[in-house]
Amino acid sequence: MAPNRVVSLAPSATEILRALGAGDRLEGVTHHCSVDAPAVGGWLNPDFEAVEARGPDLVLTADPLQTDARDELRERGHRVVHVEPGTLDEVVESFGVLGRAVGKPRAGHDLAWRARNRIQRVRRLVAGRDRPVVYCEEWSNPPTAAGNWVPDVVEVAGGRYPFCAPGERSQEVERGAVEDAEPEHVFLHVCGRGERSDREAVLKRDWEVPALERDAVHVLDDSVLNQPSPRLMDGIETMAATLHPEAME
């Protein structure tokens, strides 16, 4: 029987449910989710009593950082569906997982199909073009190179990313590693900052990178790169349009 009362403890799961047409089933979300539903705590510190009060028949969690919350909720008797996508392919696969979990398998299949089509379209448009080196920073103190699916995103968008391999966790990056890579573009998408990342946080560093000028440092809404949801497709297209504007016109 399809669940009717869902609590989402991950912004990515919330966004996926909305894309599946199941947003009306959300009975509780985190403070970080931008939907009209009661908040039940934060992504990393959910209020278990508040979750209990919403009477969910399904709770959604995501990411290895939420495994403790997943286990606690299961011990309390809740049905929990947990996903941990580490690569872009795994992100897209999670759309089908959550579609099946909420009784909308066709919607999940279609959402994944549309995402793959958008990915393949960008690949075709940038194919054969020179690939600039890209540095993506998801945290600025200390400077942290984005991992997980971001290396895949850069590759699809027509860039090169020598800082992490697909599926590796984000990691602090040394000045020398950035200087040796000589990135031609920097994308700032600091967690929790939305579109308010501070370009000066990069520009004021004494990194010796020839191309590191103001017009080479781009601020993106963190949700389009950090959130493993359909919003990643927006991030791919935005990055591709920045790296290869003539191809994406």
Side-chain angles (χ1 to χ4, degrees), residues 2-3 6 17 20 22 25 58 60 79 97-105:
V6 181
L17 253 64
L20 291 171
R25 303 186 194 182
L58 176 65
L60 303 177
R79 178 192 172 204
V97 172
L98 294 192
R100 292 188 294 273
V102 298
K104 296 177 75 72

Side-chain angles (χ1 to χ4, degrees), residues 18-183:
R18 293 176 65 186
L20 291 171
D24 58 341
R25 303 186 194 182
L26 287 166
E27 293 292 331
V29 296
T30 74
H31 295 302
H32 314 289
C33 300
S34 55
V35 297
D36 185 18
V40 293
W43 178 56
L44 295 179
N45 56 340
D47 182 335
F48 296 114
E49 301 304 324
V51 172
E52 200 88 41
R54 301 312 304 162
D57 44 20
L58 176 65
V59 182
L60 303 177
T61 56
D63 195 273
L65 294 175
Q66 286 198 308
T67 54
D68 287 346
R70 174 202 64 191
D71 294 345
E72 173 70 18
L73 288 160
R74 285 177 176 169
E75 288 179 7
R76 289 169 174 253
H78 293 288
R79 178 192 172 204
V80 182
V81 170
H82 178 85
V83 293
E84 290 187 10
T87 65
L88 181 58
D89 282 344
E90 290 171 355
V91 171
V92 175
E93 288 169 5
S94 74
F95 303 164
V97 172
L98 294 192
R100 292 188 294 273
V102 298
K104 296 177 75 72
R106 184 66 192 181
H109 173 275
D110 290 349
L111 184 60
W113 181 82
R114 290 194 299 273
R116 291 190 181 99
N117 277 355
R118 291 173 70 179
I119 290 168
Q120 290 306 316
R121 173 181 175 272
V122 174
R123 284 192 190 278
R124 288 195 303 270
L125 291 173
V126 304
R129 296 178 179 272
D130 290 339
R131 289 180 167 268
V133 175
V134 172
Y135 167 59
C136 294
E137 184 168 293
E138 73 168 36
W139 195 252
S140 296
N141 187 24
T144 301
N148 302 307
W149 45 81
V150 170
D152 291 323
V153 167
V154 175
E155 186 273 328
V156 172
R160 290 187 289 131
Y161 194 72
F163 302 100
C164 296
E168 288 184 350
R169 299 294 284 181
S170 303
Q171 53 194 263
E172 184 176 348
V173 66
E174 299 294 333
R175 166 182 169 172
V178 179
E179 291 178 345
D180 289 346
E182 295 187 347

Side-chain angles (χ1 to χ4, degrees), residues 6-23:
V6 181
V7 168
S8 171
L9 297 182
S12 57
T14 300
E15 193 64 28
I16 292 168
L17 253 64
R18 293 176 65 186
L20 291 171

